[in-house]
């Protein structure tokens, strides 16, 4: 991705100089200026210090803008995917912990319920022995 972006920036810079050359009011007149212009255009900074004045220069600028927006969009999407992946892992971890805790709680509840049943059974047997039933 970095190599492709660099290639687009340099190609745009190389193409805009001849497109702007000799045009009245042109300010992108050298390759170093064109490289600076391509970087600020692709990053959508657009200081306004350099800008194309010809139709072909503006077409090249449009391509540079789309390439820059696409590149930074892909970087942003990659970072967002990483964050979402981490959040998903955390959610799975919490889910496993909750399921373990729930299973443990069910086991404890079942054991306590069995103990209560055993106690009631003993109480009933004692009552039956004493003739109170």
């Amino acid at each position: 991705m970095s190599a492709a972006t660099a290639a687009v920036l340099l190609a745009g810079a190389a193409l805009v100089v001849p497109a702007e050359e000799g045009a009245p009011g042109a300010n992108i007149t050298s390759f170093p200026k064109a490289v600076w212009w391509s970087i600020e255009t692709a990053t959508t900074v657009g200081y306004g210090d350099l800008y194309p004045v010809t139709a072909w220069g503006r077409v090249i600028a449009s391509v540079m803008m789309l390439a820059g927006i696409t590149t930074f969009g892909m970087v942003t999407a990659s970072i967002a995917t990483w964050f979402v992946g981490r959040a998903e892992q955390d959610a799975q971890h919490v889910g496993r912990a909750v399921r373990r805790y729930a299973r443990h709680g069910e086991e404890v509840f079942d054991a306590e319920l069995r103990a209560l049943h055993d106690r009631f059974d003993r109480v009933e047997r004692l009552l039956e022995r004493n003739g109170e039933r």
Side-chain angles (χ1 to χ4, degrees):
M1 184 166 73
S2 300
T5 302
V8 169
L9 292 176
L10 292 174
L15 291 171
V16 81
V17 172
E20 294 290 297
E21 194 172 39
N27 53 26
I28 306 171
T29 55
S30 67
F31 186 71
K33 283 183 177 182
V35 169
W36 174 248
W37 166 82
S38 70
I39 293 169
E40 69 180 14
T41 300
T43 58
T44 67
V45 172
Y47 291 123
D49 56 341
L50 301 171
Y51 50 89
V53 295
T54 64
W56 279 113
R58 290 180 179 155
V59 168
I60 295 166
S62 298
V63 171
M64 298 294 295
M65 287 180 233
L66 290 174
I69 291 166
T70 301
T71 299
F72 290 107
M74 290 187 325
V75 169
T76 303
S78 296
I79 292 169
T81 300
W82 181 80
F83 279 116
V84 168
R86 293 288 303 182
E88 185 177 346
Q89 287 175 355
D90 291 346
Q92 288 174 354
H93 177 72
V94 168
R96 284 191 297 272
V98 166
R99 284 190 293 279
R100 275 194 311 270
Y101 181 75
R103 274 194 305 273
H104 176 70
E106 287 175 8
E107 292 168 2
V108 168
F109 178 77
D110 288 344
E112 288 180 15
L113 190 59
R114 277 192 301 276
L116 283 173
H117 278 288
D118 290 343
R119 283 185 178 171
F120 282 126
D121 290 343
R122 279 192 305 246
V123 168
E124 285 178 345
R125 282 192 300 270
L126 284 171
L127 289 172
E128 284 175 1
R129 279 188 215 153
N130 293 331
E132 295 184 22
R133 206 163 181 221

